[in-house]
Amino acid sequence: MANTTFSGAVRSESTFKTVSKNSTTGAITEVATIGDGPVSLSDGNVTLTNPTHSGRILLVPDGGQDNTYTLPAPIAGSIFRFVYAGGAADATDALIVTPGNTNFYIGGVTFLDTDGNEVSSVFSDGNSNSSIQFNVPAGFDVTIMGIDTTNYQIFGNVTSTTAPAFADQ
């Protein structure tokens, strides 16, 4: 693969897209879109895609029910940043799941307890947890990044009266 070096700014009138190319088939897969505005996720279950959601801030609404956001199969370099966009503490939960139990989380989040004045860490088990649940959040800013074709790295903060929970699907 050739490298290109620029001595000045690189400009685009739209966005930049990062892609991966299959060395056998030549198929191109979009990994992330850089430069677009945030995506306001709907109040309902949403299946995410790399071309639409990776590389952008994903605004999670104050839900009318528990909402599940399903990640696509991991690709190294894909990045999903979830930010709570509600105007008050949510009375429902937000769950972010991988496509299945063969894709799991490595890492954890910092839990900021609003009623117990505690700060703690909540970690995945690193070998099977494929779901994280934000219980009645007052806020969160969590990034999930594809590190290979199996795993997602997870980090960020969750503010609530109830700790977030990792689980298997």
Side-chain angles (χ1 to χ4, degrees):
M1 172 185 266
N3 292 322
T4 302
T5 303
F6 297 93
S7 62
V10 177
R11 296 174 19 165
S12 170
E13 291 185 5
S14 180
T15 60
F16 286 99
K17 295 190 181 284
T18 59
V19 299
S20 67
K21 182 177 179 181
N22 183 303
S23 61
T24 304
T25 66
I28 300 290
T29 302
E30 287 188 26
V31 176
T33 299
I34 302 165
D36 271 350
V39 175
S40 294
L41 298 175
S42 64
D43 183 10
N45 297 337
V46 177
T47 299
L48 305 175
T49 66
N50 282 304
T52 301
H53 302 100
S54 179
R56 300 173 71 185
I57 295 174
L58 307 174
L59 301 174
V60 179
D62 181 349
Q65 67 281 319
D66 293 352
N67 292 321
T68 299
Y69 303 100
T70 304
L71 295 165
I75 298 174
S78 60
I79 298 175
F80 301 89
R81 182 176 175 200
F82 295 87
V83 175
Y84 179 63
D90 200 340
T92 62
D93 302 342
L95 292 91
I96 304 172
V97 300
T98 68
N101 269 338
T102 59
N103 306 115
F104 50 87
Y105 293 120
I106 296 173
V109 296
T110 301
F111 171 53
L112 308 167
D113 185 355
T114 58
D115 64 354
N117 298 321
E118 295 180 34
V119 175
S120 61
S121 296
V122 178
F123 291 102
S124 69
D125 66 6
N127 63 22
S128 68
N129 290 161
S130 55
S131 171
I132 185 167
Q133 183 167 348
F134 304 139
N135 298 294
V136 293
F140 55 80
D141 186 343
V142 172
T143 300
I144 300 172
M145 177 177 58
I147 54 178
D148 54 32
T149 58
T150 302
N151 306 313
Y152 279 108
Q153 183 73 47
I154 185 169
F155 52 90
N157 337 289
V158 178
T159 304
S160 179
T161 58
T162 306
F166 286 96
D168 297 352
Q169 291 183 50

